[in-house]
Amino acid sequence: MLRGMTRATLHGMTHLPPPAEELRILDAELWRLDARRAQLLARRAQLIGLLQPAFPPAPPVPRRPETTAPRVQNVLLVLGGVLLTVAAIAFTLVGWGHLGIAGRSVVLATVTVAALGAPVPLLKRGLRSTAEALAGLGLALTVLDAYALHEVALTAADGTGYAAVAAAVLAGVWWGYGRGLGSLRVPFPAALAAAQFPLLLWAVAADAGPYAVTAALLLTAAFDTVVALRTSVRSPRIAAAVGAYGTGGWGVAAACALSWEAVGPSTAARAAALLALAAAIALYAAWRVPQQGLATGAAVTGGLLLVAALGGVPRASLPAVWTVPGYLACGIGLLSAVRVPLPAPVRRGVAWASASVQTLAVVWALPLVVVALLGPAGWAGRVWSGAPSDLRAAVTVRVPWPADAAAAPLVLAVVAAVLVGAARATTAWRDQAAAGAAVLVWASALLLPAAWQLPYAAGLSVQGLMTVAALAVAAYARRTSTSLTAVLLSLLTAAGLVLLSLASQDATLAVLAALTGIFAVAAAHRRLTAVCASASLAGAAGLACAVGAAAGWPPAHTALLVLIVPAAAALLAARVPRTAVPVEATGAVAGLLAIGSAVTDAPVLALVLALCGVIAAGTAVRADRRQAGYAAAVLFVLATWVRLGSWDVGTPEAYTLPVTVPALVVGFVRRHRDPEASSWTAYGPGLSVTLVPSLLAAWADADWPRPLLLGTAALVLTLLGARHRLQAPLVLGGSVLVLDALHELAPYLVPLAGALPRWLPPALAGLLLIVLGATYEQRIRDARRVREVLGRMR
């Protein structure tokens, strides 16, 4: 009992301040803490400033050397060897005549033997770099010895032949010298460098001709390839690889030039043998090189060289039209090597080589496809000028037909067949291969009528059948990529067919009517509904224009016929919602076409705008297309303005106010029921119907009552918009008020502008820029201060 009484008494004696008073106390305590923290931080900064001189300076950072001692050593040795070599050359070539033959031979031989023998003791002492430098000097001196020997004892010998023999001897001696010393690296690359010249110099000395010189280059490259693949020492392997690439590149270039310039089977066969030798070297390297990337590249090179070798023989024997098909056949023949049990990099490289040949063949035929597809665009400047004799004349209105291109359809068809086989054999690239095959088949069929010079009507029929076939493939293809490719090809074919038909009036009408029907039928297939419905509507719009032109109607009257297309598009989009976006877009383009055609006739333009407004209003009935109501309102207002302008109405308010007042009433009711409705939706159309025609009339009126009344009304609207915070009355009223005021002040502003000095506008512009810059700087400074205040808060 007493415990309960004590707890109750303590609970009644506990004093807790109200929440507002407690919050005030907490804020005051926090403010005191922040002030104290700021004082402590300031004192800390003062103490650091006082103690700063007492701290000892940091020890200087030692400079790091820019190079290492071994590098300095190597540079010095290389420079010393080069200078000694230059001195020896100068002694041999310039100072040779001061000594007799015995003295000259003794001096040069002694220096050579000393330079070649010096590396032996140096290697024993561990001075390998110095030994390398002196060995290089000795090798250079042996070249001078060979030169001196020719000048003294063998002057009657042919210089080129002697150089070939000397290069071979020096290569063998240097290689043996390197093998004898063992640890030196300089002799082996030097020997390989000397080995590049014997065969080439021998062929030149024997005047053997370009084929022998090319063979010498390729045999040298083969020797380098064998050395690079057989040796395990790094320096000779790199030197041999450089030699193989160098001599092999020159040999391949020369062999390709000989093959291309061959004019008979014999010369072509000899060039083919050289190219086959180069291909064998590359394939051997691909077989033996351990790196897969290098092996694949070498196999690609070998495959391309083999194609050049095999395709060069028929090129020199057959007409020029079969050049590309011959090379293509050889390239496709490489695919047989893929099934041979070869290393994977070799098979991959050969396959890539075959693909490269086929790609080049397709690229060769590509310009012809462009001519066949875009060439008929030249009829746009010669519409209905008369049907040409054949389809080649129809596609070459502005551009010529390429020469020796009759085999282009065959090339495309063959590559397409290869892609079909690849699509069946692999799964990784199946979709891409199938789509590529479809494109190539289409391109081949597109070229055939022009290549065979079919009659004009027959060529149009072929392209029409191509359109139908492409749509059939698109409808029943199993793969989505193939279906999409076929749809695009059908559209391209239809566009080219329309361009071809522009040469004749009857052809244009027939083609447009047929395409409209074909795409309308294809639209029944669910997969093609959206695209084909849009294409059918586009064809119908073109057909309407063609019918109007054939009947001799003015463009403005033809526009009324074109309006059938947007009306049909609106109905179709409502019935088939999945086609709404592309179909409505096509209808909108057709509507713009109709408006553009009716611009020359104001009454008809007003009618076209009103009908477009009706179509847009009908579209806005759908729940998901309410935004079309804005377009309908704009079109109705434009139609009203155009109609008033065509009637030469001097008092447009008599016609616009009866529309504005009910529209404003309807807008007020709308805003009353839906407070979230925009003022532009409620009041914008009604205000625009009267304000814009009145403003145009006021600008053309020289009297003062109309501008005064319009300005007053605009001022009232502006004030109402500001009072009720409505955007539409504020913007429309303010814009009309400013334009009306400018119209009234224009007679006074023009003389004033002429009286002002020319420097005043630039000065005002500069002052404005300075003010803006100062304001920008002030904003940046304020932002910096805020950042500093926030940074002091912890």
Side-chain angles (χ1 to χ4, degrees), residues 227-512:
V227 173
L229 295 176
R230 292 289 183 178
T231 185
S232 59
V233 183
R234 186 170 182 269
S235 58
R237 186 172 69 248
I238 294 177
V242 172
Y245 281 115
T247 56
W250 282 108
V252 167
C256 290
L258 292 174
S259 177
W260 188 256
E261 295 173 357
V263 294
S266 60
T267 55
R270 285 188 288 174
L274 294 174
L275 289 172
L277 174 61
I281 296 171
L283 293 175
Y284 172 76
W287 189 293
R288 297 297 302 244
V289 70
Q291 295 85 358
Q292 292 196 2
L294 294 177
T296 302
V300 171
T301 304
L304 293 176
L305 291 174
L306 195 59
V307 170
L310 298 176
V313 177
R315 186 203 64 80
S317 306
L318 299 176
V321 70
W322 296 105
T323 299
V324 175
Y327 283 108
L328 178 61
C330 297
I332 295 174
L334 288 179
L335 294 176
S336 59
V338 177
R339 302 179 180 178
V340 179
L342 296 173
V346 177
R347 287 188 284 109
R348 189 184 307 115
V350 171
W352 277 107
S354 176
S356 301
V357 174
Q358 297 177 58
T359 302
L360 291 175
V362 172
V363 171
W364 169 79
L366 187 60
L368 200 66
V369 178
V370 174
V371 171
L373 188 62
L374 301 180
W379 290 107
R382 302 168 55 184
V383 177
W384 296 353
S385 58
S389 59
D390 55 68
L391 201 66
R392 181 179 295 185
V395 301
T396 55
V397 184
R398 303 280 185 182
V399 293
W401 186 262
D404 300 329
L410 176 62
V411 168
L412 296 174
V414 170
V415 177
V418 174
L419 287 177
V420 170
R424 293 179 177 178
T426 183
T427 57
W429 301 89
R430 179 167 297 174
D431 292 343
Q432 294 83 347
V439 172
L440 293 178
V441 170
W442 167 82
S444 178
L446 184 69
L447 293 181
L448 280 177
W452 291 349
Q453 293 183 318
L454 294 182
Y456 178 67
L460 295 180
S461 302
V462 170
Q463 289 210 13
L465 293 176
M466 287 176 57
T467 305
V468 175
L471 290 174
V473 172
Y476 298 105
R478 296 181 179 179
R479 298 182 180 89
T480 304
S481 59
T482 305
S483 178
L484 180 59
T485 303
V487 169
L488 296 177
L489 294 179
S490 68
L491 296 176
L492 283 176
T493 309
L497 183 57
V498 172
L499 293 176
L500 279 175
S501 67
L502 295 179
S504 172
Q505 175 179 322
D506 296 338
T508 302
L509 295 174
V511 165
L512 288 173

Side-chain angles (χ1 to χ4, degrees), residues 509-541:
L509 295 174
V511 165
L512 288 173
L515 289 178
T516 302
I518 289 172
F519 282 108
V521 173
H525 196 281
R526 183 177 180 83
R527 183 185 290 183
L528 308 178
T529 301
V531 176
C532 290
S534 301
S536 179
L537 291 172

Side-chain angles (χ1 to χ4, degrees), residues 113 268 424 514 739:
V113 171
R424 293 179 177 178
L739 293 175

